[in-house]
Amino acid sequence: MTSTGEDHVTARGGPWWWERRRGAVLDVSLAAVSAFECAAEGVPFAWDAGIPVAAGVLFGLLAGAVLLVRRKWPIAVVLVAIAITPAQMGFLMGIVGLYTLAACEVPRRIIGALAGMSLLGTLIVTFVRVRQGMAAGELGIGDWFVPFAALATSLGLTAPPVLLGLYAGARRRLMESLRERADDLERELQLLAERAEERAEWARNEERTRIAREMHDVVAHRVSLMVVHAAALQAVARKDPEKAVKNAALVGDMGRQALTELREMLGVLRSGAPPERSGVPLAAVGAAAAAAASRAAEADGEGPSLSELDELVGQSAAAGMVVDLSVQGDARVYAPVVEQTAFRVVQEALTNVHKHASGAKTYVRLAHRVSEIAMQVENDPPPEPASASAAGLPSGGNGLVGMKERVAALGGVFVSGPTDAGGFRVSAVIPAAAVS
């Protein structure tokens, strides 16, 4: 941060009560000049008062030196200046004291009271001295000159320093306020920058999570089916060549579909990346993954929808799974994101059955309701002798998390867990408005 406000003042502090060394030097110089002035004016004061000249000079030195504390005790300086006004000394101290008093943080009523006292004292002393001079014959001007000279002198010694001090104090307070506002603004900007970095980091993490989820949904199901078919192919290669050929054809189809999905995803990434950058922004990757995930990457390039549910179940049945599909309610077309999410939930649930309960009978239920669509995939416990298609598929543990995130993003409800019979159940309800 820049050095403003209190930091700026502290960095350039002076001795004792002075905030800056420059102010200390100025006050010492003014006090020396004021002391010299009062000492010189103490000589005629001593003659008039009938006291030793040395006493008058010493009194003037002490009185003029009070100006040294004008910043710490401005009221005291003005009171001393008013007190020595009848002795006709301390004019510099009075002017500087009034300026300092008006510029400092003192209530206006105190400034007005002391300025009025100084004005009155100067007016009376000037009036008396001018009248004495006219009575002694030193001045040959009319009587009107006495009040005019007294008023002009008192106003000239009082009004300018007070007005200038008020202006300087207001300007200083304005500058301090601006510095404080600048410091506050700088702190707010720094806080906003920190929050922006936090939001950017949060957005990057969200994009990474979304990319992982989308790529998992796009590829995992078909690759899992490929592994299952490959295991079945290995088991029947010698016993049933015809079935082995059929399984090999299925593996090839699944592989081509997976490659098509990856090719489309990578193609979107390449087209969305800026040419001048070597890396791909996370936002572009996430958008590309979502775009690729929204398509099933079939030959016609259409996105996954509930109309393809029969084909999805057929692929699992071809891999050796016993699947029972039931649909309740009148089928209708929903928003694409709703159909894609419902399709992915069923797809991931079937993939989990392949991974963890190979050979178990599975029930897929889909219900079209008035304002929502519900789906449930439940499997029985796997048979004791492991099925020939059990290929030990790896699991990253992110499938259920991804399904829950997808459903929650649409305001739906997702529940999963084991059944009392020893199987597993995945249920989801998604609020949906049909597309007209």
Side-chain angles (χ1 to χ4, degrees), residues 50-111:
I51 61 175
V53 174
V57 172
L58 180 61
F59 175 75
L61 287 173
L62 294 177
V66 175
L67 193 59
L68 185 68
V69 298
R70 70 182 185 96
R71 297 178 189 266
K72 190 170 182 63
W73 296 299
I75 297 178
V77 173
V78 174
L79 289 175
V80 171
I82 294 173
I84 64 176
T85 298
Q88 286 188 310
M89 63 173 61
F91 295 103
L92 176 63
M93 183 170 61
I95 293 173
V96 177
L98 286 175
Y99 167 82
T100 306
L101 178 68
C104 67
E105 300 293 335
V106 176
R108 293 293 177 86
R109 63 179 182 276
I110 297 179
I111 297 175

Side-chain angles (χ1 to χ4, degrees), residues 89 130 282 297 387:
M89 63 173 61
V130 173
L282 284 176
S387 173

Side-chain angles (χ1 to χ4, degrees), residues 67-353:
L67 193 59
L68 185 68
V69 298
R70 70 182 185 96
R71 297 178 189 266
K72 190 170 182 63
W73 296 299
I75 297 178
V77 173
V78 174
L79 289 175
V80 171
I82 294 173
I84 64 176
T85 298
Q88 286 188 310
M89 63 173 61
F91 295 103
L92 176 63
M93 183 170 61
I95 293 173
V96 177
L98 286 175
Y99 167 82
T100 306
L101 178 68
C104 67
E105 300 293 335
V106 176
R108 293 293 177 86
R109 63 179 182 276
I110 297 179
I111 297 175
L114 292 178
M117 291 172 60
S118 178
L119 175 66
L120 182 61
T122 306
L123 179 65
I124 294 174
V125 171
T126 305
F127 183 86
V128 172
R129 291 297 182 180
V130 173
R131 190 174 186 83
Q132 289 177 351
M134 291 184 64
E138 298 177 0
L139 296 174
I141 308 176
D143 294 338
W144 62 268
F145 181 74
V146 176
F148 173 77
L151 183 60
T153 302
S154 58
L155 287 176
L157 294 177
T158 305
V162 171
L163 295 177
L164 185 61
L166 291 174
Y167 168 76
R171 184 177 181 275
R172 186 181 65 250
R173 286 189 290 272
L174 176 62
M175 296 301 297
E176 291 176 354
S177 175
L178 292 177
R179 276 198 296 266
E180 291 177 358
R181 291 177 61 182
D183 289 340
D184 294 340
L185 180 60
E186 190 171 2
R187 284 191 291 268
E188 290 178 3
L189 290 177
Q190 185 176 3
L191 181 60
L192 289 176
E194 293 175 356
R195 291 181 178 176
E197 292 178 359
E198 293 177 357
R199 287 195 295 267
E201 182 63 26
W202 176 83
R204 285 193 292 268
N205 292 335
E206 287 294 315
E207 288 295 337
R208 292 190 186 99
T209 303
R210 190 159 67 98
I211 291 167
R213 182 173 65 245
E214 300 293 353
M215 294 188 69
H216 178 275
D217 292 340
V218 167
V219 180
H221 178 72
R222 300 197 187 281
V223 174
S224 299
L225 290 180
M226 288 173 59
V227 175
V228 172
H229 283 297
L233 176 62
Q234 183 180 6
V236 301
R238 295 183 180 179
K239 299 179 181 179
D240 192 349
E242 183 178 353
K243 188 174 182 180
V245 171
K246 182 179 179 181
N247 286 340
L250 290 174
V251 171
D253 291 340
M254 293 296 172
R256 282 187 292 273
Q257 292 173 356
L259 287 175
T260 302
E261 291 177 348
L262 288 175
R263 187 179 298 112
E264 287 199 0
M265 181 181 295
L266 294 176
V268 175
L269 289 177
R270 291 192 187 98
S271 62
E276 65 274 8
R277 296 185 181 179
S278 58
V280 179
L282 284 176
V285 175
S294 66
R295 297 186 293 270
E298 302 295 338
D300 56 358
E302 294 180 356
S305 61
L306 294 177
S307 62
E308 302 174 21
L309 199 59
D310 291 335
E311 182 181 354
L312 179 67
V313 172
Q315 292 174 354
S316 295
M321 178 188 295
V322 180
V323 188
D324 181 17
L325 173 64
S326 62
V327 179
Q328 300 177 359
D330 296 332
R332 59 188 187 274
V333 180
Y334 299 91
V337 65
V338 174
E339 296 212 9
Q340 293 168 15
T341 301
F343 182 89
R344 294 300 185 192
V345 169
V346 177
Q347 182 186 57
E348 180 61 27
L350 292 176
T351 302
N352 287 340
V353 175

